[in-house]
Amino acid sequence: MISSTKLHHRVIGNGIPMVLLHGFPLDHTIWYPVVDILAAAGIQVILPDLRGHGLSPSPEGVYTMNLMAEDILNLLEDLGIEKAVLVGHSMGGYVSLAFSCLYPNRLSGLALVSTQASADTPEKRQSRLNMVQEVKRYGVKALCGTMPLKLTNNEVIQQKIIEIICRTTPQGIIGALKGMAYRPDFAGRLPSISVPTVVVGGLLDAIIPMESFKLMSQLLCKAWLVEIKEAGHMPMMETPEPVAGALCELAQRVFI
Ligand code: MLT
């Protein structure tokens, strides 16, 4: 039985609790470009590293989205927070959707950033399992070739992403790859999410098409879409101002 893990995290500012979850194979530092704007707007910014990433532990096993959602619940418990806004980037979005299904009473608002509700296609699942073998053979460097290029066109950000990947452990990467490969489809659950939700997507995203962002925002009952023309898969780093603006608006709508 795999149990939940204490996550490394940072807390910045005071106010409305907002937990920002990074994608794969990244860490909490991807959110730094938006933190000051959020904190100045009266938001308590909580930045965990998901299990297997950043400075959090990398236990053995498959990191299911439910297990990673349980880690977030335990973090809220440790911080004495009853309800929080969850912001999930890509894999962090899959974790946020799992959290929304498991612990709806602990959620006050949701932001789905460069993420999708659908499960992997069989081809995508197979490519993740192939990547597990590559990481076993070559270590985390197996991800440093094409992955940063898919995440963004911005070369400075690509370099930062490579640095983050190099700080990650093979065991952490493998746990997350397997967890994503076997994650369920959340699309059918979207209509039952009752909190205000903003969907943020970049038109240049090479991983998730704009159509998926649009469909998700249509299936959610209290959602709006923020489409960012100049952003790829890393809008919080590529275009921090509109992303921070969307999150500040979400925080306002949550507490109206
Ligand atoms: C991420 O950024 O978290 C990944 O691209 C998600 C995925 O591979 O599905």
Side-chain angles (χ1 to χ4, degrees):
M1 170 89 184
I2 304 169
S3 62
S4 71
T5 286
K6 290 259 182 212
L7 300 181
H8 170 81
H9 62 277
R10 289 191 63 193
V11 181
I12 299 154
N14 294 298
I16 299 163
M18 185 179 270
V19 184
L20 293 94
L21 306 183
H22 60 80
F24 168 87
L26 306 167
D27 70 12
H28 74 275
T29 62
I30 66 164
W31 296 108
Y32 282 178
V34 298
V35 164
D36 287 349
I37 306 176
L38 300 183
I43 293 171
Q44 182 188 38
V45 183
I46 300 158
L47 299 173
D49 285 335
L50 292 168
R51 64 167 60 208
H53 296 75
L55 296 174
S56 284
S58 301
E60 271 183 33
V62 179
Y63 302 169
T64 64
M65 300 305 112
N66 283 359
L67 198 53
M68 292 202 276
E70 193 187 324
D71 291 340
I72 300 303
L73 179 74
N74 287 333
L75 176 62
L76 293 184
E77 294 282 325
D78 286 350
L79 295 172
I81 294 171
E82 181 61 29
K83 278 189 177 207
V85 177
L86 262 194
V87 179
H89 167 243
S90 204
M91 180 185 72
Y94 313 153
V95 177
S96 304
L97 288 170
F99 186 99
S100 313
C101 297
L102 289 171
Y103 315 113
N105 298 337
R106 307 300 295 264
L107 191 69
S108 56
L110 183 63
L112 297 170
V113 180
S114 313
T115 191
Q116 59 196 337
S118 46
D120 277 357
T121 59
E123 296 74 29
K124 179 72 189 176
R125 185 171 301 128
Q126 190 54 52
S127 80
R128 291 200 203 274
L129 300 178
N130 295 344
M131 183 52 76
V132 166
Q133 297 310 320
E134 296 273 300
V135 173
K136 281 184 182 165
R137 282 177 75 178
Y138 303 112
V140 299
K141 287 202 169 54
L143 266 67
C144 291
T146 53
M147 182 97 200
L149 307 180
K150 279 201 238 161
L151 296 182
T152 179
N153 292 333
N154 180 312
E155 289 179 13
V156 176
I157 299 176
Q158 285 169 1
Q159 197 47 47
K160 286 188 180 156
I161 288 169
I162 290 172
E163 286 162 20
I164 296 174
I165 294 174
C166 289
R167 297 197 293 263
T168 310
T169 62
Q171 185 152 293
I173 288 193
I174 290 170
L177 281 169
K178 289 182 176 169
M180 286 193 287
Y182 295 109
R183 76 185 187 279
D185 195 298
F186 290 107
R189 312 295 291 269
L190 294 179
S192 65
I193 296 177
S194 59
V195 294
T197 303
V198 61
V199 176
V200 179
L203 209 55
L204 307 179
D205 194 321
I207 297 177
I208 303 175
M210 185 52 68
E211 277 317 304
S212 297
F213 303 133
K214 285 189 180 153
L215 184 63
M216 235 178 4
S217 66
Q218 287 158 4
L219 290 171
L220 287 151
C221 56
K222 284 194 198 153
W224 68 102
L225 175 67
V226 173
E227 183 177 324
I228 306 180
K229 288 198 181 62
E230 308 78 22
H233 195 65
M234 301 298 299
M236 74 301 282
M237 299 176 93
E238 299 167 302
T239 54
E241 284 182 12
V243 173
L247 299 182
C248 290
E249 187 184 341
L250 173 65
Q252 278 173 4
R253 290 202 198 188
V254 162
F255 286 91
I256 280 172

